[in-house]
Amino acid sequence: MDHVIIKNVEKTFFNKEEKTSFTVFNDINLNIKKGEFLSLLGPSGCGKSTLLNIVAGLDKATNGVVQVGSKTITAPGPDRGVVFQEAALMPWLTVLENVMFGLKKKMSKGEAEKKALEYLKLVHLSKFIRSYPHELSGGMKQRVSIARALAMDPEILLMDEPFGALDEQTRSMLHKEVQFIWEQTGKTIIFVTHNIRESVILSDRIILMGTRPGGIIGEFPVNLARPRQPSSPEFVKLEEDIMKQLAGEIEKVMKEEMGDDYNSKKASLLYGSNRNMGEHI
Amino acid sequence: MFTSLQRISVGFALALIIGTALGILLGQSKLADETIGSLVIALQSIPSIVWLPIALLAFGQGSTAIIFIIVLGGTWAMTMNIRMGIKNVQPLLIRAARTMGYKGSELVWKVMLPASIPAALTGARLAWAFGWRALMAGELLGRGGLGRTLLDARDMFNMDLVIAIMVIISIIGLIVEYLVFAPLEKKVMTRWGLTK
Ligand SMILES: Nc1ncnc2c1ncn2[C@@H]1O[C@H](COP(=O)(O)OP(=O)(O)OP(=O)(O)O)[C@@H](O)[C@H]1O
Ligand SMILES: [Mg+2]
């Protein structure tokens, strides 16, 4: 059953002063099943965040529609929770109050607190409920914002490079937590990342996006048993397939950003080693 | 002295309230910013004591005239700082709140205003300083309070009293600065993550 339906979506940014416009993508079609874990993978600037924000209802598509079930999206809604790249916590609220922030609108304070505590426990932050965001590490903040999104109990969780700024160890711990939560709650998740390995570890299906013209350039189902072992031959094979298809895209972006003196051999050596495109762009 | 403190308290409170309300309006509405905004900038450059003659005519010789110029002295600094605060709220916080069902005036009360607290504090500090000056100037020309006593002391050639009153004036200033604003600012800066 399709949960999220993205139909012929175009996004064009207009610059009123210079009278120019820039089309990020002009015809995205994508259906996401209920309970599916979907990753959007692509080089910087290909429009992953733009697409996610349109699904979130924070930005409007220039053309096309996004539907959740049979409902057309026009604004943010409680059915879609968002975890942003930066934690986006209110600095004047404690961890607990931050998680209660959205809950308080739909239930009594007592209930909101109970629920918030439950989700903070899920992300192992029970000890820090009275702390303020500035007292937490980056990974802890990100966990608070995951708890905040989950506590609202949205059917769909939209995550925009939630672990982009974290170190390898914290990231892999959060991968486990997210998988656990996904298995427990059966939510539909759309996960944006530039990290190939991350997308293979987590998702049921990976959508590759490219630039100029922007759009979907490939699709990889991941049929590996969980928990996934990055060292297994199937895993490595899939990673390499994805890398091959993306290599051309990454070169395009680099050429554009660096100009003519770009040397493709050097660059391919650079991103050959750790499969994280983002760090080199 | 109590007359003075009473006047500054009322005037300062009014300046904060009016300044906050105006600041929110200017920060929110482009139209208001382009019209009232320029007016505020113009008013800001007039030393508030200049208003005293008008205030005395309008409100008579009582406290009201003095409070009026304290309010005029403090309001604009508060307005401009709140306006800046509202305009500079991280868009990400607003977006996050919107995904949790916040919109319209709730966004202003629950996100923009709290996020503007550091700017508000700067505004309040300036409003206090301007208000305090306005009070002293007003009282020297008007009636009652520390300023008036200062003048009376001079008329009686009572130098000791003159000095004593000046000391009191500066001590009140220092107390407010060190016991109220400095600790508040420290706390706010830390919590809002603005300390380096
Ligand atoms: N408000 C805007 N006005 C004009 N252009 C924009 C705007 N927002 C984004 N863009 C452009 O749209 C393109 C896609 O941006 P987007 O943020 O969606 O990329 P992304 O795939 O999320 O990249 P990254 O991985 O670096 O986050 C970029 O080329 C960017 O310059
Ligand atoms: Mg992005």
Side-chain angles (χ1 to χ4, degrees), chain A residues 40-44 46 48 193-197 199 206-211 215 217-218 220 238-253 271 275-277 281:
Chain A
L40 297 177
L41 181 68
S44 186
C46 70
K48 306 180 294 291
T193 177
H194 342 41
N195 187 307
I196 299 177
R197 177 163 297 174
S199 68
I206 300 169
I207 301 296
L208 293 192
M209 292 177 69
T211 40
I217 56 166
F220 291 83
L238 186 57
E239 252 184 336
E240 258 151 29
D241 289 349
I242 295 173
M243 177 96 76
K244 245 179 250 159
Q245 188 150 2
L246 273 171
E249 280 305 315
I250 296 165
E251 262 180 47
K252 238 190 324 192
V253 173
Y271 62 73
R275 297 170 167 80
N276 184 350
M277 304 176 291
I281 292 176

Side-chain angles (χ1 to χ4, degrees), chain A residues 118-255:
Chain A
E118 186 185 310
Y119 281 92
L120 281 165
K121 195 169 166 199
L122 191 69
V123 295
H124 308 294
L125 281 174
S126 300
K127 276 194 201 139
F128 296 91
I129 55 171
R130 305 267 167 239
S131 305
Y132 284 89
H134 73 93
E135 298 165 315
L136 306 180
S137 73
M140 287 156 89
K141 280 187 219 169
Q142 207 48 279
R143 269 143 70 198
V144 177
S145 85
I146 292 170
R148 180 175 69 176
L150 284 171
M152 299 289 287
D153 198 22
E155 298 165 34
I156 302 165
L157 201 54
L158 306 171
M159 306 175 92
D160 191 354
E161 297 185 42
F163 312 136
L166 306 178
D167 64 86
E168 201 59 46
Q169 264 158 317
T170 313
R171 185 186 298 184
S172 108
M173 189 184 76
L174 290 176
H175 284 164
K176 291 204 185 86
E177 281 181 23
V178 164
Q179 280 192 79
F180 176 76
I181 289 162
W182 175 68
E183 278 160 15
Q184 293 284 304
T185 58
K187 292 189 190 306
T188 304
I189 299 185
I190 305 182
F191 189 96
V192 166
T193 177
H194 342 41
N195 187 307
I196 299 177
R197 177 163 297 174
E198 180 169 74
S199 68
V200 179
I201 288 178
L202 294 172
S203 30
D204 291 330
R205 185 156 60 114
I206 300 169
I207 301 296
L208 293 192
M209 292 177 69
T211 40
R212 331 258 157 153
I216 296 176
I217 56 166
E219 185 177 326
F220 291 83
V222 188
N223 299 314
L224 304 175
R226 290 183 164 94
R228 292 173 179 156
Q229 297 304 327
S231 51
S232 76
E234 297 90 345
F235 194 108
V236 175
K237 168 86 171 48
L238 186 57
E239 252 184 336
E240 258 151 29
D241 289 349
I242 295 173
M243 177 96 76
K244 245 179 250 159
Q245 188 150 2
L246 273 171
E249 280 305 315
I250 296 165
E251 262 180 47
K252 238 190 324 192
V253 173
M254 292 184 97
K255 259 190 191 134

